[in-house]
Structures are given as structure tokens and as C-alpha cells.
């Protein structure tokens, strides 16, 4: 990962937490860390949804002790990065969810981050106030009881497409009703969760740590660049099939079979992707 531009702070986000009891300042270390980790997860997910990669990191730049409050500063990895798109989505999305509506600008990872942020709410925390000053305007949002009550009623939208993805299989989980494995694609996203039929467990176990091609129904959030899940109906292990079989696959994608075969052979042997 590239280094942060340490001297270029492009935005600030204030995060103030309130506990349930007493004077609302008795926030445990665990709950404090849980909230900050969840908020960073949301911000990073939105950043990657917009830019197809992580373009900024967040650092603690100020603390207020009278009330558990931390100020996060955004620092870019590259010049000419604007944090307003990321924070704008955050401050539009939270009110939508609080109103019981789908925040369509949030990808699945951002939604999962909100779910994580809600875990201490109502149990140990009353709420988390977010504040962002931009262009002379103060933006406010709250992760609180009202959002927690509405969140489970939100009908989150998904879009489905028949697609093929290539990558390396790791971390199979056979315990859920629908087993899954993680695919590390040759191109973004970093990790793609793949669900598959239970009767394929033994067959797919043999593909672990191999480079494969999976075909199935890819699941997208409405504005997402990449799917967050694929329901797999076919899996081919690329580094086990013969060159003749690989050339046959190549013919599906190009009229020049030899040219595509060479490219796929490179992918199979060296995975030389930019």
C-alpha cells in the first residue's frame, strides 16, 4: 500500500460517543474501539466503491476528553484526492437508513460496517454523533437507537448478472447451510465471497489453493463497481487442465485462438496481471 501524504490533511470527521447511563461519558475501551473500527470500515468501503481502490487513510488528529470524542483526519495516498465524495455518501446514507430506506450509495461492505457500528448501540452506547464541516456548512448524522430500530426493516436492493471470475480459492467454510469459499481475483475486488451447493463440497475442496474460473450469478449493490458475492454453478481449476483444454476455453473469447491461448497460458503459469 502506498504511503499517506502526511502533510496533506484533506478533511476532518468528528466522532462523539455517548454511553447509556449517567452523564453519558462512561464509554468502555472495547466499545470505543468497536465504533472507530466500524466507522473506518464504512469510510474505506465507500472510498473503494467510488475509486475502485483505497485512496486515503484516516488518522486520529484530535481528542476531547470531556466527552468521548475523537477527530479523524483524512490523508490521501496520492495528490489531488478529494474526501468530499466519500463523506458526502456517508452523510447521505446514514439518514436514509435511519428513515428505513435503502442507502443505495452504500455497497455491501459499507452496509456491513454500519451493522458493526450498531452492535454496541442500545447495549452500552446511546449513540454516536458524526460531524463534518465542509464549504461553510456543518453536516450531522447519528448512529443511534433510531437507526438501529430501522435497520432491520430496510429492504436492501441487489442486482444479479451471469458472470465468470478467475482467482485463487482460499478459506472454505462448510458450516453454514450454504457453504462458501473466498476467491482472490486476479483483478479487483480483493476478495469475492462465493456460495455453492452443499453437494459440491468434496469436489471443490480439491480446488483449494488453486487458480480457478467460477461461473454463476454475481450479486451487486445498485451502484457497486464489483459484486460482493457469486452464487457459483460451475468451477474449473485452471492450473490443472491441459493446454489443449485451456486453448478450447480461449476460443470462446476471441477469434484469434493462438493469441488468446498465449495470454491465458501466461495467466495460468504466472498470473501476470497488471
Amino acid at each position: 500500500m502506498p504511503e499517506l501524504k502526511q502533510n496533506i490533511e484533506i478533511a476532518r470527521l468528528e466522532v462523539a460517543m455517548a454511553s447509556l447511563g449517567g452523564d453519558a461519558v462512561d464509554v468502555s475501551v472495547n466499545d470505543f474501539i468497536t465504533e472507530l473500527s466500524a466507522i473506518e470500515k464504512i469510510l474505506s468501503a465507500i472510498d473503494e466503491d467510488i475509486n475502485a481502490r483505497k485512496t486515503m487513510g484516516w488518522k486520529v488528529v484530535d481528542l476531547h476528553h470531556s466527552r468521548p470524542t475523537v477527530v479523524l483526519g483524512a490523508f490521501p495516498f496520492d495528490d489531488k484526492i478529494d474526501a468530499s465524495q466519500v463523506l458526502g455518501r456517508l452523510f447521505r446514507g446514514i439518514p436514509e437508513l435511519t428513515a428505513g430506506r435503502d442507502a443505495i450509495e452504500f455497497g455491501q461492505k459499507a452496509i456491513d460496517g454500519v451493522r458493526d457500528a450498531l452492535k454496541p448501540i442500545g447495549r452500552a452506547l446511546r449513540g454516536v454523533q458524526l460531524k463534518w464541516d465542509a464549504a461553510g456548512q456543518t453536516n450531522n448524522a447519528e448512529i443511534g437507537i433510531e437507526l438501529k430500530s430501522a435497520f432491520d426493516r430496510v429492504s436492501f436492493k441487489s442486482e444479479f448478472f451471469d458472470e465468470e471470475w478467475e482467482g485463487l480459492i482460499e478459506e472454505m467454510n462448510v458450516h453454514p447451510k450454504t457453504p462458501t469459499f473466498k476467491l482472490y481475483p486476479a483483478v479487483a475486488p480483493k476478495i469475492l465471497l462465493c456460495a455453492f451447493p452443499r453437494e459440491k463440497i468434496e469436489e471443490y475442496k480439491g480446488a483449494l489453493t488453486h487458480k480457478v474460473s467460477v461461473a454463476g450469478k454475481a450479486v451487486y449493490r445498485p451502484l457497486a463497481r464489483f459484486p460482493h458475492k457469486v452464487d457459483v454453478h460451475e468451477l474449473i481449476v485452471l492450473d490443472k487442465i491441459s493446454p489443449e483444454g485451456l486453448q478450447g476455453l480461449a476460443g470462446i473469447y476471441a477469434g484469434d485462438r493462438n493469441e488468446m491461448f498465449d495470454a491465458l497460458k501466461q495467466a495460468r503459469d504466472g498470473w501476470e496481471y497488471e
Side-chain angles (χ1 to χ4, degrees), residues 26-255:
D26 187 19
V27 176
S28 74
V29 171
N30 284 341
D31 293 327
F32 192 82
I33 292 173
T34 294
E35 286 303 319
L36 285 184
S37 297
I39 289 167
E40 194 279 334
K41 180 177 180 178
I42 299 167
L43 292 168
S44 294
I46 294 172
D47 185 12
E48 291 180 9
D49 281 341
I50 293 172
N51 299 299
R53 62 187 178 91
K54 193 171 181 179
T55 65
M56 67 192 76
W58 295 84
K59 296 169 55 179
V60 175
V61 295
D62 199 2
L63 290 167
H64 305 296
H65 301 289
S66 58
R67 181 182 179 187
T69 302
V70 60
V71 179
L72 303 177
F75 292 82
F77 293 119
D78 304 304
D79 294 329
K80 299 180 181 179
I81 297 297
D82 184 3
S84 63
Q85 291 187 55
V86 173
L87 289 167
R89 281 199 182 189
L90 174 67
F91 280 83
R92 289 190 298 271
I94 295 298
E96 286 293 294
L97 294 174
T98 303
R101 297 187 293 267
D102 186 7
I104 63 170
E105 291 184 291
F106 281 11
Q108 189 61 43
K109 284 177 65 177
I111 292 170
D112 291 341
V114 174
R115 185 177 287 108
D116 291 346
L118 289 172
K119 289 177 181 177
I121 303 299
R123 175 181 56 79
L125 297 182
R126 181 185 308 163
V128 180
Q129 299 286 338
L130 305 176
K131 186 172 77 170
W132 166 46
D133 292 324
Q137 179 179 350
T138 297
N139 302 274
N140 294 285
E142 182 179 13
I143 299 172
I145 300 293
E146 189 178 355
L147 171 56
K148 186 162 188 172
S149 298
F151 189 80
D152 289 337
R153 302 195 306 269
V154 175
S155 178
F156 293 105
K157 302 177 181 65
S158 295
E159 297 175 353
F160 304 88
F161 300 93
D162 291 318
E163 292 183 349
E164 295 183 11
W165 285 83
E166 293 182 6
L168 184 71
I169 287 189
E170 297 279 358
E171 300 180 51
M172 182 177 289
N173 185 355
V174 300
H175 299 294
K177 182 178 179 181
T178 302
T180 62
F181 60 78
K182 290 182 179 178
L183 184 75
Y184 292 78
V187 294
K190 294 179 182 177
I191 300 174
L192 189 53
L193 185 69
C194 295
F196 62 94
R198 179 160 290 278
E199 59 268 22
K200 294 285 189 178
I201 288 176
E202 291 305 317
E203 177 185 343
Y204 287 4
K205 275 184 180 179
L208 282 169
T209 73
H210 286 283
K211 300 155 190 173
V212 304
S213 172
V214 298
K217 194 74 72 174
V219 187
Y220 288 77
R221 288 282 292 151
L223 300 182
R225 289 174 178 266
F226 305 108
H228 58 270
K229 179 184 175 184
V230 175
D231 293 320
V232 176
H233 61 70
E234 184 180 15
L235 183 150
I236 298 173
V237 180
L238 294 178
D239 53 5
K240 282 187 176 180
I241 63 177
S242 67
E244 292 77 13
L246 193 60
Q247 189 173 17
L249 285 174
I252 299 172
Y253 298 102

